[in-house]
Amino acid sequence: MIHSTVASEWFSEGFFRVPVIAVLRGLSADESVRLSERAWAAGVEHVEIPIQTPAAVPALRAVAAAAAAHGLLIGAGTVTTLEQLDAAAGVGVSFTVSPGLDPEIVLESARRGIAHLPAVATASEILQARALGLHWAKIFPASVLGPQWARAMKGPYPEMNFVATGGLTAVNAPEFLANGVSVVGLSSAFADDIQLETVRRMIAASREVASTLA
């Protein structure tokens, strides 16, 4: 399936290296770039800018330009309509993220060559995502579902990889990673020096593990 190839292979190659992504919502273009730079300096490779309203697109465009200067990729979040997908594609994003599972957006993203990460909150939604050929899904809202939910879902769906976002901090993120989540999405951590140092240590530790397995 084209959607399986586009999404599953891209996320496996691009996301698994670093277990943290930055999700920067509702900020000005300047502040989005500033926090993106802090995230990149800490070792984060992927930044997601949610575009729930057209007013967020300038921030996405600004971060995309900054990311390109570093040779990095950018994603658009809260993509729930084809119009939002058009806006994201116009900026040149490499991936899109949704707070739910919409087969039309999954398929249209794949047709455009953009990896799409839908959100799931039930076993049935995971089953639907798998039927679309997807092996990566977002757990949302992660702070409500909890890390044990991720561990429980890995039982019947061991091939699924989860990205946990929604209410996570550098304090509770390690518990999600310890319970089968592959990547955590953090927001406020990049404005907080103490949390940012924790993020830096998390990424450094993951790279050490990866180097021993290589």
Side-chain angles (χ1 to χ4, degrees):
M1 299 180 222
I2 184 174
H3 36 293
S4 176
T5 300
V6 171
S8 296
E9 291 185 5
W10 191 89
F11 285 119
S12 293
E13 293 174 2
F15 260 51
F16 198 72
R17 282 195 308 264
V18 178
V20 180
I21 63 170
V23 183
L24 305 177
R25 179 188 300 276
L27 304 174
S28 68
D30 288 345
E31 183 67 357
S32 296
V33 171
R34 186 182 77 84
L35 293 186
S36 294
E37 294 284 359
R38 283 169 63 87
W40 294 326
V44 171
E45 294 185 354
H46 295 96
V47 173
E48 172 197 331
I49 304 296
I51 55 169
Q52 63 272 21
T53 69
V57 175
L60 175 66
R61 189 174 295 113
V63 174
H70 290 282
L72 298 173
L73 305 174
I74 185 74
T78 319
V79 173
T80 60
T81 67
L82 294 180
E83 289 75 19
Q84 289 171 325
L85 179 58
D86 285 338
V91 174
V93 301
S94 295
F95 65 97
T96 53
V97 184
S98 176
L101 174 62
D102 184 333
E104 186 177 23
I105 292 176
V106 172
L107 296 173
E108 182 59 19
S109 293
R111 189 186 70 78
R112 294 167 182 249
I114 300 172
H116 183 66
L117 184 73
V120 296
T122 68
S124 294
E125 289 173 340
I126 297 173
L127 189 62
Q128 292 174 44
R130 194 177 65 172
L132 287 165
L134 299 174
H135 298 289
W136 283 80
K138 180 174 83 165
I139 297 173
F140 181 81
S143 62
V144 175
L145 293 170
Q148 293 301 321
W149 186 91
R151 178 175 289 279
M153 290 301 105
K154 290 290 281 188
Y157 301 113
E159 76 285 0
M160 291 299 295
N161 300 282
F162 296 126
V163 178
T165 71
L168 269 63
T169 69
V171 175
N172 63 8
E175 187 176 2
F176 282 84
L177 293 173
N179 279 279
V181 168
S182 297
V183 179
V184 291
L186 303 180
S187 301
S188 61
F190 302 105
D192 181 324
D193 289 343
I194 295 176
Q195 286 195 67
L196 190 63
E197 181 56 35
T198 301
V199 170
R200 189 176 287 110
R201 290 198 299 269
M202 287 168 55
I203 293 174
S206 72
R207 285 177 169 159
E208 286 182 16
V209 171
S211 66
T212 61
L213 298 175

